[in-house]
Amino acid sequence: MPLVGSREMLYRAMEEGYAVGAFNVSNLDMVRAIIEAAEAERAPVILAAASLQIKYCRLDLLAATCRAAADAAKVPVSLHLDHGPSYEENVACLRAGFTSLMFDGSAKPYEENVRLTRQVVELGHSVGLGVEAELGRVLRAANEPTPADIRGCFTVPEEARAFVEATGADYLAISVGSVHNMVKRSAEIDLPRIAAIRELAKRPLVMHGGSGVPHEVVKQAVANGICKFNVSTELLKQLRAGMEKVFAEMPNELNSRVLMPGPLAMVRETAQEKIRLFGSAGKA
Ligand code: 13P
């Protein structure tokens, strides 16, 4: 079916108490592995691409690939700009055919984040698309943040309410303990904070840095209000592990069509496991 918007997907997830997986893609193989995972689990799914991934693929090629893959898919697929850095990048993605937008002003002062987010919300709403915004910062593991650094960036529930009212953002990425690019699942998630933000913001909430969230905590995070779970690093870890395995097993093989199916099956299985944990299996 044609690419769909993410708003209906995520508001339904909020009503029914599950989360949709948003998986980052940077090539045709990953697009296919993720859509196959969603089809196997009969789940709606979000393909996400951030600026560096878009630059690597070329925006037109990435959008065309995702559109063609979605057209042939048996489940609803949305194409989302992850961490959109500017109004201009949102416009470019919209023109290329993305069906879900994001402006990430979380590193900017609050008032500037409100002002710039509102512009992107107006853009998205003018064509009927949902817009994600971010309040509170989700840090990066490479910068080795301390627990105090992480807590210092937490989203404040009262501020989240004021922020969504001022911006009209459709979903909100929040900082509650996860960190981007963690290779171990050891993030300490402040579950009551998720519930408090949901209570006041009344929006689907988004967990970035999903790879670092312990599996036993994922379900609790969803029960407390997370409706979109972003995962990238864990899939890349599987891809790399799979590639190391096949390179060792087939030292003389040159064809990527022979080398890649094994690693991609590992990516697909991991995405399926996540989808089941998020509760979106069977929701397509
Ligand atoms: P991870 O790479 O830590 O899973 O985070 C993905 C993400 O949040 C994309 O925005």
Side-chain angles (χ1 to χ4, degrees):
M1 61 185 80
L3 281 168
V4 299
S6 54
R7 188 159 43 192
E8 296 70 19
M9 240 185 217
L10 295 180
Y11 276 81
R12 181 178 160 208
M14 182 165 75
E15 272 165 33
E16 295 186 19
Y18 62 89
V20 177
F23 302 102
N24 289 71
V25 293
S26 50
N27 59 42
L28 168 62
D29 279 341
M30 291 297 276
V31 169
R32 284 181 57 190
I34 290 162
I35 291 184
E36 283 168 15
E39 287 181 326
E41 298 297 333
R42 290 186 298 110
V45 74
I46 298 173
L47 301 173
S51 293
L52 288 178
Q53 291 151 352
I54 292 172
K55 203 166 161 198
Y56 171 72
C57 294
R58 245 178 58 187
L59 177 58
D60 56 339
L61 295 182
L62 178 66
T65 300
C66 293
R67 187 165 53 239
D71 281 345
K74 297 184 192 74
V75 294
V77 180
S78 183
L79 177 56
H80 176 76
L81 169 60
D82 190 23
H83 293 289
S86 64
Y87 183 84
E88 290 73 19
E89 186 143 346
N90 273 279
V91 171
C93 287
L94 194 56
R95 292 179 67 128
F98 278 50
T99 56
S100 179
L101 302 178
M102 177 176 186
F103 177 72
D104 178 2
S106 61
K108 299 184 189 302
Y110 177 83
E111 289 303 337
E112 203 182 339
N113 190 4
V114 168
R115 185 173 61 79
L116 296 171
T117 298
R118 198 161 47 205
Q119 291 175 359
V120 177
V121 169
E122 280 169 16
L123 171 73
H125 288 185
S126 70
V127 290
L129 294 182
V131 176
E132 178 178 337
E134 182 160 334
L135 184 70
R137 278 181 76 194
V138 178
L139 301 175
R140 309 195 78 78
N143 299 330
E144 299 181 10
T146 63
D149 294 335
I150 297 168
R151 276 196 304 277
C153 292
F154 273 0
T155 307
V156 177
E158 268 300 341
E159 209 169 70
R161 184 219 316 245
F163 183 81
V164 294
E165 282 173 4
T167 59
D170 300 280
Y171 353 107
L172 189 65
I174 55 174
S175 174
V176 289
S178 62
V179 172
H180 283 111
N181 309 116
M182 285 178 74
V183 287
K184 288 202 182 115
R185 290 197 290 265
S186 56
E188 285 183 25
I189 304 300
D190 185 342
L191 295 167
R193 186 176 294 270
I194 302 176
I197 298 169
R198 171 176 65 182
E199 185 64 29
L200 294 178
K202 299 186 173 24
R203 293 283 192 287
L205 302 177
V206 182
M207 178 79 82
H208 282 250
S211 299
V213 181
H215 276 179
E216 61 279 14
V217 180
V218 166
K219 281 189 180 163
Q220 293 165 283
V222 172
N224 282 281
I226 297 296
C227 301
K228 173 171 174 277
F229 233 101
N230 290 14
V231 176
S232 177
T233 301
E234 197 157 346
L235 300 188
L236 295 176
K237 235 174 80 180
Q238 293 298 324
L239 188 67
R240 183 179 170 117
M243 285 163 73
E244 284 176 358
K245 189 162 171 277
V246 292
F247 289 155
E249 284 169 4
M250 296 185 250
N252 300 318
E253 180 57 56
L254 298 176
N255 273 300
S256 60
R257 69 179 162 72
V258 177
L259 293 166
M260 292 310 293
L264 290 168
M266 289 167 67
V267 170
R268 194 178 59 232
E269 279 157 25
T270 301
Q272 283 185 239
E273 185 185 19
K274 296 287 181 189
I275 286 168
R276 290 194 295 270
L277 274 172
F278 300 156
S280 54
K283 298 291 185 180

